[in-house]
Amino acid sequence: MAATPLYKQFADQLAASIRDGVLRPGERIASVRIASQQHKLSVTTVVRAYELLESRGIIESQPQSGYFVREQAPSGDKPPARRNARDAHDDHPAYQQSTEVDVSRLVLATLKTIQQDGTVPLGSPYPNPALFPSQRVAQYAGKIMRDASQSSVFDDLPPGHPDLLRQIARRYLENGLKVDPEEIVVTVGATEAINLCLQAVARPGDTIAVETPTFYAMLHAIERLGMRALEIPTDPQRGIDVGALEALMQTQPVAACMVMPNFQNPLGFQMPDSEKEKLVRLAERHRMPLIENAVYSELYYGNAHPSSLKNYDREGLVLHCSSFSKSLTSAYRIGWAMPGRYRAQVEKLKFLNTLTTPTAPQRAIAEYLTQGGYERHLRRVRRTFAQQRDLMRHFVLRFFPEGTQVSKPEGGYVLWVELPGKVDAMELYRRCLALGITVAPGRIFAATNRYGHFIRLNYSYPWSRETEQALKLVGKLVQELSA
């Protein structure tokens, strides 16, 4: 049996100290440099250990402050597993009325358990941090923070550091989209970008059209701002049903539409270019803002970078949101918005909501992009994800009972699994948790009580005997629940 990697050994030691109360919630843990010296480990090993603990929800990073112990879920709960869910879609009729959104408590409860230490993380929403070039980015950040004389207090203010704005614009240009750096507003991850964009175009009580199923962060933004969700049928290959959306817009006012056209979480599809253009033209006819979540767009498996809704936007109605968290590093939570005609409002809201985005992480990522190697890193990640997608699909179809259907994502790192109709995914989630395995239940991906027999699975982590055994156990539980 292969020896446990040093970074995992160190992460397990820290996790044990936290469980034993040596380190308590809210307390700061040693910096990467000090931990490296104290434990005679390389900086890379410490960074990977910290990222592993952060992905499990045990610690959290606070920009320019360091790492802190997070509040833990009750000790009776078991650790998380990988998420499993597929993208088979019935011919769902569009909901005729908008719905109040109240999913945050369920999502928070499941995410807390999914990130517990010691579980098989099939339910995790995060990619495997070991795939990220964290050491290089951390080295750049450390050098920048040591040489504070190069920074200005005003560098933290919106829209963001000029070096990063230029590198983001350059990246889009390399992928076929000309972007004015002055349109970009840097944010604390894509989640803040989505929230700011929604706040800029709609008001409490407004109706927001969303895909169904959809990524729960989109629903959180709607819930947080006191808006209502109108769920639109979404095809597992072609994306949101533009015709159904237009028909419903004839019956009720829709303030904005939130979509994820490339490698949507949880379905994994890439919306065809013709459908993307059709959606943008519909938005133009009705003067309806489109909020585009593009966080997975770099994780494509094909030969060419997918187009964005921005490619078809002639009137500045597309508010494009993305981040480096899913493709480069999640440690610093650097995202951005390109809000088109709403740019001034988004920049103002950024200033009012969180005031700044720390400069050192922005400059560190800009330096990494300047030095090159990002595309080579992405090719390796894409190849890894594509291979692990095929493995996960194969074993789900092998171990799960007849009637199970599994998506085949064209990018990203999650599967959407439709289980036999009798299976209650929440009960499956609880039984898996008791065995130290986590899955993401389908109910967290809709504002209404739908997808009760769906789960989502994460395949970004290295394939192992432990993963295979966990899938076998989940398959047995599904068989029991379907009887």
Side-chain angles (χ1 to χ4, degrees), residues 280 283-285 287 312-318 340-342:
V280 175
E284 289 175 352
R285 290 196 298 274
R287 316 301 297 168
Y312 309 100
D313 185 18
R314 301 178 300 200
E315 299 186 17
L317 289 168
V318 174
R341 62 169 61 191
Y342 306 98

Side-chain angles (χ1 to χ4, degrees), residues 373-384:
Y374 186 40
E375 186 57 45
R376 184 169 61 253
H377 153 70
L378 287 173
R379 285 198 299 269
R380 179 173 61 88
V381 170
R382 293 169 191 145
R383 185 168 58 249
T384 299

Side-chain angles (χ1 to χ4, degrees), residues 42 46 93 136 158 270 279 308 318 381 401 427 441:
S42 69
V46 176
R136 283 187 61 192
Q270 179 180 332
L279 178 59
S308 158
V318 174
V381 170
E427 178 62 22

Side-chain angles (χ1 to χ4, degrees), residues 195-462:
N195 276 270
L196 293 175
C197 288
L198 184 58
Q199 192 176 355
V201 301
R203 299 291 176 265
D206 282 351
T207 294
I208 310 300
V210 295
E211 300 154 318
T212 185
T214 190
F215 185 43
Y216 46 75
M218 317 276 261
L219 298 174
H220 288 172
I222 295 171
E223 180 180 351
R224 173 179 172 270
L225 296 170
M227 299 172 188
R228 299 174 65 84
L230 179 64
E231 297 185 315
I232 309 299
T234 303
D235 184 86
Q237 278 81 44
R238 301 182 65 79
I240 193 168
D241 187 330
V242 180
L245 171 60
E246 184 165 25
L248 284 172
M249 290 174 69
Q250 309 301 322
T251 67
Q252 55 195 297
V254 175
C257 179
M258 302 175 72
V259 292
M260 189 179 287
N262 292 320
F263 322 124
Q264 191 245 26
N265 186 344
L267 295 180
F269 61 78
Q270 179 180 332
M271 196 174 183
D273 289 351
S274 59
E275 292 298 305
K276 291 175 183 174
E277 184 171 15
K278 188 188 300 184
L279 178 59
V280 175
R281 298 295 165 256
L282 171 65
E284 289 175 352
R285 290 196 298 274
H286 294 271
R287 316 301 297 168
M288 176 183 66
L290 288 172
I291 299 173
E292 177 182 25
N293 184 341
V295 294
Y296 301 102
S297 290
E298 293 280 21
L299 304 179
Y300 58 91
Y301 303 157
N303 296 322
H305 195 286
S307 67
S308 158
L309 298 183
K310 272 284 185 185
N311 289 88
Y312 309 100
D313 185 18
R314 301 178 300 200
E315 299 186 17
L317 289 168
V318 174
L319 298 90
H320 178 97
C321 305
S322 193
S323 81
F324 291 108
S325 297
K326 304 297 189 293
S327 61
L328 179 58
T329 175
S330 59
Y332 301 121
R333 291 191 53 74
I334 297 297
W336 64 91
M338 296 192 299
R341 62 169 61 191
Y342 306 98
R343 186 220 178 267
Q345 180 67 0
V346 168
E347 182 179 28
K348 175 185 173 182
L349 289 169
K350 165 64 184 176
F351 181 74
L352 292 174
N353 277 268
T354 54
L355 186 64
T356 65
T357 301
T359 298
Q362 294 187 60
R363 291 182 56 200
I365 290 175
E367 181 67 19
Y368 175 85
L369 297 175
T370 301
Q371 295 301 322
Y374 186 40
E375 186 57 45
R376 184 169 61 253
H377 153 70
L378 287 173
R379 285 198 299 269
R380 179 173 61 88
V381 170
R382 293 169 191 145
R383 185 168 58 249
T384 299
F385 285 173
Q387 292 169 348
Q388 293 177 184
R389 173 204 64 184
D390 293 341
L391 274 171
M392 181 75 79
R393 291 188 78 250
H394 169 76
F395 282 104
V396 168
L397 292 171
R398 177 180 170 185
F399 296 144
F400 284 42
E402 186 178 353
T404 300
Q405 298 187 67
V406 187
S407 64
K408 189 172 184 180
E410 300 178 62
Y413 51 87
V414 297
L415 288 183
W416 185 237
V417 180
E418 182 178 8
L419 306 170
K422 291 182 179 180
V423 177
D424 181 346
M426 288 303 298
E427 178 62 22
L428 175 65
Y429 157 78
R430 287 188 284 267
R431 293 192 187 188
C432 286
L433 202 57
L435 296 174
I437 304 167
T438 61
V439 298
R443 280 184 57 189
I444 65 177
F445 299 96
T448 48
N449 188 15
R450 307 182 71 181
Y451 309 109
H453 62 292
F454 287 76
I455 56 174
R456 187 195 62 186
L457 294 175
N458 181 323
Y459 55 81
S460 70
Y461 290 80

